[in-house]
Amino acid sequence: MIFLDAAATTPVRREVLEAMWPFLTGEFGNPSSHHSLGGSAATALADARKTVAKVLGCRPGEVTFTSGGTEADNLAVKGMALARQAADTALNRVVISAVEHPAVEESARYLERFHGFAVDVVPVDRAGRVTPEALAAVLRPETAVVSIMYANNEVGTVQPVADLAAVAREQGVPFHTDAVQAAGWLPLDVKVLGVDALSISGHKLGAPKGCGVLFVRGRTRVEPLMHGGGQERGRRSGTENVAGAVGLATALTLAHADQARRAGTVVRLRDAFITAVLEGVPGAVLTGHPVDRLPSIASFCFPGTSGESVLLELERQGVVCSSGSACAAGSDAPSAVLLALGIEGEVAQTAVRFSFDASVTAADLEAAASAVQAAVGSVRTLGHMPG
Ligand code: PLP
C-alpha cells in the first residue's frame, strides 16, 4: 500500500512511543497527586510544556495541552471571543476565513447561534489566499477575535499569517491561527508570526490521536470550555494526558529539528508528482496556490469523474488518499473550501487530495502518478457520474 493521506493522520513514531511508554506504565501517576508518582508525572508534564514552548518560541505558561486540534480551535475561538465580550459587551463579531476547518468554522457558528455574535467571513482568491486588504475590509470596532488558518488541509494553500496578524494587531484584535497542518512543515515561532493564539494537533506529526496544544500569548484572556479541577492554569480542566503531552512534545521537537531539510526534500518530490499528474491526466487541474502551498499536499480536480470513484479505483490499485478532506469524505456535498476558491460544484466533486509525510519516496510517487492516470482513465471510460 502507498499511503498518501498523511494530512488525515500519521502513524506514531517509534521515538514518540518510547518517550510515552513510561507514563503509560510504571510512571502512571496523576500530576495533581501529592506523592512521588504524581510528582514525576507533574515533572514530565512540565518538561513537555517547556519543550513545546521552545519550538514555538514562547513561555511554558503560554502552552495549554488539549485533546487535539479541534479542542484547541474551539478554545481559541470561543474562549477568546467570550472572554472579550465579558469585558466589553460591544464586542460581538468574529472574523474567520472562507476556508477554515470545521473546528474553527463551527466554533464561530456556535457563537452566532448561542451568544449573539455575527460571523464575518473573509473571502479568498482562486488560490485560496486571504489578502491583508481583504481582512482589513471586514474588521470592525466590534470584532472580538480573528481566526485564519496557517495552511489549508484540503488544498495546502499557505496564508500570509504574519501580514494578516499585523492587520488585526493594528486594530487591537487578537489573532488565532490553526497551524494543525502547518506544524512540522513551516516555521512555528509565534513571535515571528505575530499571532496571539495558535493550535497544533499531535496526530498529524507522529504523535497519537487525541492530544493537541493551544498557545495563547501572555495575558490574553480565554474563557475555559471545560470546567472542573482547574488544571492547565484553569484554562482546561481535566486530568492531563501526560503520555500524550510527552508524545506531542517529542514529535514536535523531532519534526522541528529537521523541518527545513524535510520540507525541501518533500517539495521536490511533490512538484515532480504534480508535473507527472498534470502531464499524464488530460484535463487535470491543480487546486490551491501553485507555489505557496504545504510541501505535503498535492490536490487536484479531475473533471468528468467523481472524486469518490477515483479514490476507490486508486485504493484497488494500492494507493490510499482522500477526496476533499477526511471530514467531508463520504458526503456528496462539494467541499465548501473548493467552492470558496471559485471552483464550480460539479468540478469540486471530482477533487482528490494526496498528502505526504517525510517517509514518502520518489518511487512511491512515480507509481502513484501512474495509478492516478489509470484510475482517472478507467473512471472516465466507465462513465461514473459526480456524486
Ligand atoms: N484543523 C485542521 C486544519 C485540520 O486539518 C484538523 C484535522 O484534520 C483539525 C483542525 C482537527 O484536529 P484533530 O483531528 O486533532 O481534532
Side-chain angles (χ1 to χ4, degrees):
M1 178 180 85
I2 302 177
F3 180 75
L4 301 183
D5 203 14
T9 198
T10 58
V12 175
R13 292 178 70 155
R14 169 174 286 277
E15 307 92 312
V16 170
L17 192 55
E18 282 172 2
M20 293 172 67
W21 183 253
F23 306 100
L24 295 165
T25 53
E27 305 280 338
F28 61 88
N30 181 329
S32 300
S33 298
H34 292 221
H35 47 60
S36 60
L37 260 185
S40 32
T43 304
L45 190 65
D47 288 347
R49 204 182 305 281
K50 278 187 216 150
T51 304
V52 171
K54 206 164 156 204
V55 173
L56 300 184
C58 68
R59 292 198 304 273
E62 295 174 314
V63 171
T64 299
F65 287 109
T66 68
S67 67
T70 298
E71 186 189 334
D73 285 347
N74 272 259
L75 182 55
V77 175
K78 297 179 193 169
M80 293 203 299
L82 292 173
R84 290 205 80 210
Q85 192 178 57
D88 178 353
T89 50
L91 296 171
N92 62 2
R93 305 187 79 89
V94 293
V95 169
I96 61 172
S97 85
V99 293
E100 293 305 311
H101 187 274
V104 164
E105 144 116 63
E106 291 303 319
S107 294
R109 296 295 167 200
Y110 163 84
L111 291 170
E112 181 179 55
R113 276 198 302 280
F114 295 104
H115 294 277
F117 280 80
V119 180
D120 295 307
V121 179
V122 201
V124 294
D125 62 19
R126 288 192 77 84
R129 296 253 285 187
V130 176
T131 61
E133 296 72 32
L135 173 59
V138 300
L139 286 180
R140 305 255 288 261
E142 307 83 49
T143 307
V145 65
V146 175
S147 180
I148 297 179
M149 71 200 323
Y150 195 169
N152 184 264
N153 48 302
E154 292 188 43
V155 295
T157 298
V158 176
Q159 302 294 349
V161 167
D163 296 342
L164 298 171
V167 170
R169 191 165 52 247
E170 263 169 39
Q171 306 294 326
V173 182
F175 185 98
H176 164 251
T177 195
D178 173 340
V180 167
Q181 292 293 341
W185 296 108
L186 302 176
L188 285 181
D189 187 312
V190 291
K191 290 200 188 76
V192 176
L193 293 171
V195 297
D196 301 292
L198 176 141
S199 307
I200 295 176
S201 169
H203 73 106
K204 313 286 182 178
L205 286 167
K209 295 160 190 63
C211 53
V213 155
L214 179 66
F215 153 77
V216 179
R217 182 178 302 288
R219 296 185 190 282
T220 309
R221 305 246 336 242
V222 179
E223 185 59 32
L225 307 181
M226 305 295 274
H227 302 97
Q231 289 91 341
E232 298 293 290
R233 294 167 191 245
R235 287 225 161 115
R236 201 272 178 186
S237 287
T239 302
E240 302 89 336
N241 176 359
V242 179
V246 169
L248 189 150
T250 308
L252 190 62
T253 305
L254 288 170
H256 181 69
D258 71 345
Q259 179 240 312
R261 188 194 60 77
R262 261 170 7 115
T265 307
V266 177
V267 161
R268 280 191 293 282
L269 297 175
R270 180 204 67 192
D271 286 347
F273 176 71
I274 289 175
T275 305
V277 170
L278 293 179
E279 284 176 356
V281 181
V285 182
L286 180 72
T287 55
H289 199 286
V291 181
D292 288 325
R293 60 187 303 130
L294 281 175
S296 50
I297 292 187
S299 52
F300 303 90
C301 286
F302 300 114
T305 67
S306 88
E308 286 294 332
S309 310
V310 172
L311 200 71
L312 290 176
E313 187 55 32
L314 278 172
E315 185 157 13
R316 233 173 43 80
Q317 299 190 31
V319 176
V320 174
C321 55
S322 160
S323 70
S325 73
C327 311
S331 119
D332 267 357
S335 137
V337 168
L338 296 176
L339 296 181
L341 267 62
I343 296 170
E344 272 175 47
E346 204 171 306
V347 175
Q349 270 169 321
T350 72
V352 180
R353 175 189 74 184
F354 303 90
S355 53
F356 325 120
D357 70 10
S359 66
V360 72
T361 65
D364 284 348
L365 291 187
E366 277 163 29
S370 304
V372 173
Q373 196 174 346
V376 172
S378 110
V379 169
R380 281 181 178 154
T381 309
L382 295 173
H384 287 251
M385 289 306 292

